[in-house]
Amino acid sequence: MASDEGPSGHTKWPQQWTHEPAGSNMVQPQAVYGPRYGLSGNNDSNINLKQLLIACASALAGNKIHEFENLVERARALVSITGDPIQRLGAYMVEGLVARRELSGSYIYQALKCREPVGEDLLSYMHILYEVCPYLKFGYMAANGAIAEACRSEDRIHIIDFQIGQGTQWMTLLQALAARPGGPPHVRITGIDDPVSKYARGDSLDLVGNRLEFLSEKFKIPIEFHSLPVYAPFVTKEMLDVRPDEALAVNFPFQLHHMPDESVDVNNPRDELLRMVKSLSPKVVTLIEQESNTNTAAFFPRFLEALDFYSAIFESLDATLARDRKDRINVEQHCLARDIVNVIACEGKERVERHELFRKWRSRLTMAGFKQSPLSGYVNSVIGNLLKCYSGHYTLVEKDGALLMGWKDRDLMSASAWH
């Protein structure tokens, strides 16, 4: 069970996540690291922090522990959870590197599960993330558009959501379905979420059911909700109660990359789940994933990929949230840091953040027997307009049948539909 508490019952956060960088009282290492990473001398004010982080990872990858510890001490003095994007990201990447060195990555990952804020603020950190940047909205809108298009003439629709979360995705789709000219369809939603994720909602899946019941009354649309608090690899066909008179839509929102593949488990649960879903004969399957290549890469190239990917994420957050905003610190610390630590610090079955590029997902879905479905041109244009409201630096391109969203020159998310 995930917890925000250490073994003693007191909150246990890595020290520098709760403090500004150490000042003049910090002992400065004396080593000279040469020109390879631009780190000659020890005038830290002139050091490129990104290159310093790369040097730390390189030393650790080469098992040069003394060099690593000297470098990481210098990096600690430069990072800050209220600094610029690379300083903030650097704080969490340093912790990931140290956790890898100390083999404590799995503990930190479990401790950093998203939690509901305490006090009067009922918005979870994930919901704040949903509101302040367009990544989740992008995925939800693309998937909802594909489902609405595939099921536009259906009277009964069954949506299987493999990561229901707080049910936020379905509010706009249900509102649209309720306004159909011929009257609303009957919608059944099976919400799957691992038992630990109730902490992300502050409640059990009953909370999602209550929200959907409220929407049913508000929009005058019949909704039936079935909760399934089961880890995705253990979901069976029998649990899903697929009925022949319903059009079936299956949704994978930022979830499939958590499934082990053939590099971790000889049974290949990732592809096995896709084959099981194919056997259900769904009308549409929607896939939303991070556009990053960290699944099978060795540690050092994986670190470089994570550094590039999360640098763009952290930079984009600056477009909507001031650096000293508590909300931004909470979102980064509770919802992004845990993924960063897991990618960097963990291996084998403990590394559950295993992202793949869209071309690899396309290969997996094709091998499982699926064919791509076109995404809605209208919805794509709506998403494009939404991104402009956040920042002109967001990008949106259609490529290989998928919709790719990015920041500047870096693709970050992909959305695709299948049948």
Side-chain angles (χ1 to χ4, degrees), residues 93-196:
M93 299 205 89
V94 164
E95 266 330 292
L97 290 166
V98 172
R100 183 179 182 86
R101 164 78 174 92
E102 298 176 352
L103 304 178
S104 61
S106 183
Y107 166 74
I108 293 175
Y109 178 79
Q110 292 299 325
L112 288 173
K113 284 282 189 179
C114 292
R115 294 287 299 269
E116 290 278 340
V118 296
E120 298 179 358
D121 187 359
L122 297 179
L123 291 175
S124 74
Y125 300 128
M126 284 301 293
H127 191 68
I128 296 170
L129 184 64
Y130 174 82
E131 291 296 336
V132 302
C133 69
Y135 299 116
L136 296 174
K137 285 192 181 81
F138 155 77
Y140 293 170
M141 290 173 70
N144 287 352
I147 292 170
E149 178 69 20
C151 302
R152 62 186 181 278
S153 59
E154 301 292 342
D155 294 327
R156 301 184 69 84
I157 302 169
H158 180 193
I159 298 170
I160 298 175
D161 188 348
F162 269 84
Q163 189 161 298
I164 189 76
Q166 301 178 48
T168 306
Q169 175 173 349
W170 306 116
M171 294 180 185
T172 53
L173 177 63
L174 292 170
Q175 188 173 6
L177 292 174
R180 282 202 326 199
H186 178 279
V187 179
R188 188 160 63 98
I189 297 178
T190 297
I192 300 166
D193 220 339
D194 68 74
V196 175

Side-chain angles (χ1 to χ4, degrees), residues 256-276:
L256 263 184
H257 72 268
H258 287 145
M259 296 285 291
D261 74 342
E262 64 275 14
S263 69
V264 182
D265 186 330
V266 292
N267 295 315
N268 195 354
R270 187 172 293 195
D271 288 353
E272 184 62 32
L273 179 60
L274 289 175
R275 286 192 292 269
M276 187 274 282

Side-chain angles (χ1 to χ4, degrees), residues 226-261:
H226 171 55
S227 64
L228 200 57
V230 177
Y231 289 105
F234 304 118
V235 173
T236 65
K237 195 172 181 176
E238 292 69 32
M239 295 176 183
L240 299 173
D241 187 25
V242 174
R243 302 170 189 172
D245 62 335
E246 296 174 326
L248 180 63
V250 179
N251 185 51
F252 288 110
F254 304 107
Q255 189 277 332
L256 263 184
H257 72 268
H258 287 145
M259 296 285 291
D261 74 342

Side-chain angles (χ1 to χ4, degrees), residues 190-340:
T190 297
I192 300 166
D193 220 339
D194 68 74
V196 175
S197 284
K198 66 182 180 181
Y199 289 101
R201 292 180 296 272
D203 203 342
S204 67
L205 281 165
D206 293 341
L207 177 63
V208 180
N210 292 338
R211 287 179 176 173
L212 292 174
E213 186 178 349
F214 170 78
L215 293 175
S216 176
E217 295 174 1
K218 181 179 180 180
F219 298 137
K220 304 293 189 292
I221 178 172
I223 301 172
E224 182 183 339
F225 178 64
H226 171 55
S227 64
L228 200 57
V230 177
Y231 289 105
F234 304 118
V235 173
T236 65
K237 195 172 181 176
E238 292 69 32
M239 295 176 183
L240 299 173
D241 187 25
V242 174
R243 302 170 189 172
D245 62 335
E246 296 174 326
L248 180 63
V250 179
N251 185 51
F252 288 110
F254 304 107
Q255 189 277 332
L256 263 184
H257 72 268
H258 287 145
M259 296 285 291
D261 74 342
E262 64 275 14
S263 69
V264 182
D265 186 330
V266 292
N267 295 315
N268 195 354
R270 187 172 293 195
D271 288 353
E272 184 62 32
L273 179 60
L274 289 175
R275 286 192 292 269
M276 187 274 282
V277 168
K278 175 65 170 60
S279 74
L280 304 175
S281 301
K283 188 101 176 180
V284 63
V285 173
T286 50
L287 177 69
I288 313 160
E289 279 293 345
Q290 290 93 328
E291 186 68 359
S292 183
N293 186 20
T294 62
N295 181 24
T296 58
F299 163 65
F300 187 60
R302 188 167 80 239
F303 178 89
L304 297 177
E305 170 72 355
L307 180 60
D308 189 60
F309 179 86
Y310 286 105
S311 289
I313 296 281
F314 275 64
E315 186 179 319
S316 71
L317 284 172
D318 269 19
T320 48
L321 280 177
R323 291 178 185 175
D324 58 353
R325 276 276 300 274
K326 184 66 175 173
D327 283 350
R328 186 197 49 70
I329 295 170
N330 281 336
V331 163
E332 290 176 354
Q333 182 167 292
H334 293 273
C335 302
L336 298 175
R338 55 190 284 266
D339 295 355
I340 294 166

Side-chain angles (χ1 to χ4, degrees), residues 349-376:
K349 291 185 177 180
E350 288 188 340
R351 182 156 63 84
V352 297
E353 300 297 331
R354 292 180 166 272
H355 309 110
E356 293 185 313
L357 299 173
F358 173 69
R359 63 174 180 265
K360 181 63 178 179
W361 290 117
R362 183 178 59 186
S363 173
R364 289 188 185 278
L365 282 143
T366 302
M367 289 283 288
F370 290 101
K371 295 180 180 178
Q372 267 189 272
S373 300
L375 291 166
S376 165

